[in-house]
Amino acid sequence: MLELYTDRLRLRTVIASDWDDFLYTNSCEILNQYVRIPQSESVIRQKFERVLTPNNLKEDQQLSLVIEAVHSKSFIGFLSLHNVSQTLGQLEVGYMLHDNAQGKGYATEALQGLIDWACIALMPHKFIAHCADLNIASTKVLEKCHFLQEGLLRHNWKVGDEWLDERFYGLLVAERV
């Protein structure tokens, strides 16, 4: 089981007892407004089972972590790291926080902790991230972690019937602050 710590947070491997938090996070319309129309519980359960399957983060594999408060052990959200390309050394990051944990700096702190660990453990060349252009909170998290916006992909993501513009971000490990 992987465990990482920051000043206020514990980042740990997802376990079976995280199902209720996973279901809520993946089915809440507000949390998913820039991601997807919430799917059925059976589809979410299949995703959860894949998240529980251990992997060594080889190409096209993903590591999912629970974000929780160190002292209270209360659930804050999820963080992911996807090995997009072993050859190019690219890792894609993602995060989703419970609605009552937003606006407190947790996403920034968790993402920075994950980046710090990945730089040592996986030695990537670059981190990448995508977020909806309208998702200002997420863009602020990425920019606080020193990601640079490298492009705006017009009508690149669809949620329901609505096309969204998507910001593409990158962080070169060699340029990390």
Side-chain angles (χ1 to χ4, degrees), residues 16-176:
S17 61
D18 294 319
W19 165 244
D20 289 339
D21 292 323
F22 192 86
L23 177 61
Y24 175 78
T25 305
N26 283 274
S27 62
C28 175
E29 286 187 33
I30 292 171
L31 294 180
N32 286 277
Q33 66 183 327
Y34 301 119
V35 182
R36 71 183 71 83
I37 297 293
Q39 298 159 317
S40 69
E41 185 172 331
S42 64
V43 170
I44 296 170
R45 173 58 85 172
Q46 290 172 3
K47 287 182 182 180
F48 185 67
E49 295 301 327
R50 284 193 303 271
V51 165
L52 289 176
T53 304
N55 69 66
N56 53 8
L57 208 55
K58 295 226 184 249
E59 188 156 338
D60 206 32
Q61 291 184 329
Q62 181 170 311
L63 171 67
S64 295
L65 300 171
V66 169
I67 306 167
E68 60 186 17
V70 169
H71 299 296
S72 67
K73 295 188 180 174
S74 60
F75 173 77
I76 291 174
F78 291 98
L79 189 63
S80 67
L81 187 65
H82 177 212
N83 188 346
V84 176
S85 172
Q86 194 86 25
T87 305
L88 299 176
Q90 290 183 356
L91 299 174
E92 183 176 2
V93 298
Y95 42 86
M96 188 177 287
L97 269 57
H98 192 285
D99 39 345
N100 65 13
Q102 295 178 5
K104 299 175 182 173
Y106 294 138
T108 302
E109 186 175 334
L111 181 56
Q112 193 59 60
L114 181 64
I115 289 168
D116 291 345
W117 170 80
C119 283
I120 294 166
L122 304 171
M123 297 182 291
H125 171 69
K126 182 178 187 176
F127 293 94
I128 60 174
H130 300 260
C131 72
D133 184 43
L134 298 173
N135 190 347
I136 303 304
S138 190
T139 64
K140 287 181 180 179
V141 168
L142 293 168
E143 291 166 2
K144 286 178 186 175
C145 289
H146 308 287
F147 280 74
L148 298 176
Q149 183 176 332
E150 297 182 347
L152 179 67
L153 308 172
R154 299 177 311 133
H155 285 212
N156 198 59
W157 192 251
K158 194 172 185 182
V159 176
D161 294 330
E162 185 179 356
W163 283 102
L164 302 176
D165 292 347
E166 189 174 38
R167 294 184 190 206
F168 185 80
Y169 281 87
L171 172 64
L172 295 174
V173 171
E175 294 178 352
R176 275 184 64 226

